[in-house]
Amino acid sequence: MDNLVIAGKAYSSRLLVGTGKYKDFDETRTAVDASGAEIITVAIRRTNLGQNPEEPSLLDVLPPSQYTLLPNTAGCYTVEDAVRTLRLARELLDGHTLVKLEVLGDPKTLYPNIVETLKAAEILIKEGFQVMVYTSDDPIAARQLEEIGCIAIMPLASLIGSGMGILNPWNLQIIIENAKVPVIVDAGVGTASDAAIAMELGCDGVLMNTAIAAAQNPVLMASAMKKAVEAGREAYLAGRMPKKLYSASPSSPVEGVIGNMSGK
Amino acid sequence: MIQLIVNGEPQVVPSPDSGADSGTTNDARLNIRQLLEHMGLQGKRIAIERNGEIVPRSQFDQPMLANGDKLEIVVAVGGG
């Protein structure tokens, strides 16, 4: 089987999805299931103190027994906030150590702050966390994050929520070539072809949220993304034909064309 | 009464022995379970940080909360 292995566990789906921005929990669950994703990201937030205690919680809809939850540090701009958030996540999820670290550097672009990301990753790894790390598409940052022990490198395709697709396939290719841990494109995918291209480049997986949640029909887009990731992966494994400007080698036989005009 | 800061907001919670003589209230300490009940959060899947340190669930019965403690109570929500 062609599985994605994360922290020693094999997953048949190479699509990882977020759970934000859906209109309700029902849509979240239906879209997640249509995507076939087995690893899903969740955010950690202060509980709403005035909340109706009867209101269902996300974990009732997406129970940890059925999915691998990936708590994130979305919205964290400092090492301290990111580390505290994931310590809370580990307590919340009964000692769960697989996490997605992101330390942002700018509220307008949500571009990652690599210096702070490295510091936070180092602390978390020392504390026994298995860190999947959101980063820029800088191959040196990716290498350093791998060297300190991150278990998956997750470079952006383009900015979070932008839907701009893969802006620098060459950098991604260098990251993929050098990495010995899974490389998962995280952020920037806008539509199915973007996900397919990421997989054709040789990424081990794709993580997305907005591309599905902000589609006109999120559940249908979730299904499209599932197919795109599978198609891209198969195309990568199959090995594409070389690109040529033109080819004097048509697919149909050159001999035997009626009228005896060919081959002369 | 015990004054706490919960999720950035001041919260006044009755001390567990508030019926007793007032001389002891300054030393009265609340445990997390009592706080969660007071806030209607009992049985909810939450995690708690007290003054920057995680409070493991195994310590929810220990009377640790005192005036001025800063608490964060978090849940998992949708996110990417």
Side-chain angles (χ1 to χ4, degrees), chain A residues 15 17-19 22-37 40 58 61-63 66-67 212-213 217-224 226:
Chain A
L15 174 57
V17 299
T19 54
Y22 288 98
K23 75 172 196 290
D24 52 35
F25 282 158
D26 196 43
E27 189 184 68
T28 312
R29 172 71 197 239
T30 315
V32 166
D33 285 348
S35 78
I40 60 176
L58 182 71
V61 183
L62 298 166
Q66 282 178 46
Y67 304 90
I212 296 174
N217 181 338
V219 176
L220 191 57
M221 187 57 89
S223 160
K226 176 181 195 232

Side-chain angles (χ1 to χ4, degrees), chain A residues 48-66:
Chain A
N48 183 356
L49 297 179
Q51 197 186 17
N52 170 10
E54 303 309 313
E55 223 162 84
S57 81
L58 182 71
L59 299 185
D60 297 331
V61 183
L62 298 166
S65 54
Q66 282 178 46

Side-chain angles (χ1 to χ4, degrees), chain A residues 56-107:
Chain A
S57 81
L58 182 71
L59 299 185
D60 297 331
V61 183
L62 298 166
S65 54
Q66 282 178 46
Y67 304 90
T68 295
L69 296 187
L70 193 61
N72 70 24
T73 59
C76 291
Y77 288 84
T78 65
V79 172
E80 195 203 348
D81 285 353
V83 169
R84 280 171 67 195
T85 296
L86 292 178
R87 285 177 186 150
L88 280 162
R90 175 162 62 181
E91 183 61 25
L92 182 70
L93 299 172
D94 304 316
H96 174 98
T97 54
L98 184 67
V99 296
K100 169 180 163 178
L101 171 67
E102 58 182 280
V103 184
L104 301 175
D106 175 38

